[in-house]
Amino acid sequence: SHEDGWRICVFSHAPIMGSGLRVLQNVHVINGCAWMNHCSPSRSTFINTVKESPQIKLWCSGHFHLSHDFQDSLSKVNQCTFVQVGVVGGKSTRDHTRQTRIVQGNSEVMKIYTVNHHVRDEQGDADLRLDAIIDLERGETEMTYDSETYDRDNWFSAYCPEEEDGCYIECPAGAVAGEEGIGETVCWWHMADDKVLGVHDGQIVEYDAETLSPLGIVVNKKDMENKELLVVDESKVVVLVHRETDAIEVVHPNDDGSYWRKYQRNKRIRQEEKAREAAAKLWLERKGQSQQ
């Protein structure tokens, strides 16, 4: 427990929902693979565990193949600092940076460094940068580098609603977006069934009702072209109306009640299916050989 003096650091491949780290809307969110247990009802278990466990001080994750130079490559929820970890290989980086993290510290202080493998001095040594200092005693995190000097526009992250961000629609009734084009619209609202939907980057997005993290894309940019978005019947129905033909399309929820579309089937499930198919093929081959 925290009272016993434990300081816990967690390392996972993917980040957890609610961590606040940068996530790419048109890569990971659209395919339902941004967070640990993204497609499972238990996806909020991890962030709830963090909030209930003050001894968890640091959580490092990778998965996104993004650099450490974005403002939201570091975040903090309660007492826990979340850290995005980049990649070393030039072929696997998304934004041309090659970076690793170094965590150094003791029971009182931890320091988070970035090793910039793509930045070398005259002797050929990689650049070392201090990114954050975590005071474990006071529960404070000091960010020590200026992320504003980096160009982040090429890697447009998913929008995460906040309670007081000024984009919330209290009682959507009728036209929500698209009367003059939907591309610049940013808003979010609750449906009658408590599902959270929003508009961002010209798309309709569903958000987790508990953490307000993006779950997936409901209607993509292409299908939103030249259409107006309405929420009608006391927030029970989402409707798209073509601005030229007045054709109407109702956005129905999925069988499980969610709205976001599964553009790509879960990777783990696909791998398990391939493993079963391979096992069946091997069994049949062995049976055929034994009968010869």
Side-chain angles (χ1 to χ4, degrees), residues 106-164:
N106 51 41
S107 61
E108 297 178 352
V109 176
M110 281 194 293
K111 296 182 178 180
I112 310 298
Y113 293 89
T114 283
V115 180
N116 288 302
H117 298 281
H118 59 288
V119 179
R120 302 277 172 167
D121 60 21
E122 294 179 355
Q123 287 73 41
D125 296 326
D127 173 69
L128 183 66
R129 182 183 77 205
L130 177 63
D131 288 349
I133 301 174
I134 305 172
D135 188 324
L136 299 174
E137 297 295 324
R138 292 193 278 181
E140 299 175 354
T141 300
E142 177 188 1
M143 308 300 183
T144 58
Y145 77 98
D146 182 13
S147 62
E148 294 299 329
T149 60
Y150 299 95
D151 178 16
R152 301 191 300 276
D153 292 338
N154 289 332
W155 295 103
F156 200 50
S157 68
Y159 163 73
C160 292
E162 297 179 4
E163 295 293 345
E164 305 295 333

Side-chain angles (χ1 to χ4, degrees), residues 56-99:
I56 301 178
K57 303 297 185 181
L58 179 70
W59 195 307
C60 297
S61 60
H63 184 52
F64 295 148
H65 293 224
L66 290 174
S67 78
H68 309 165
D69 299 339
F70 301 99
Q71 184 180 28
D72 42 8
S73 66
L74 291 169
S75 65
K76 187 179 180 184
V77 178
N78 289 17
Q79 79 294 337
C80 183
T81 300
F82 289 92
V83 179
Q84 163 70 24
V85 180
V87 296
V88 179
K91 292 183 179 180
S92 56
T93 176
R94 294 187 187 277
D95 49 14
H96 310 295
T97 57
R98 298 168 48 242
Q99 298 171 316

Side-chain angles (χ1 to χ4, degrees), residues 244-256:
E244 295 178 358
T245 65
D246 289 330
I248 294 176
E249 177 185 350
V250 175
V251 180
H252 297 283
N254 301 312
D255 292 343
D256 62 1

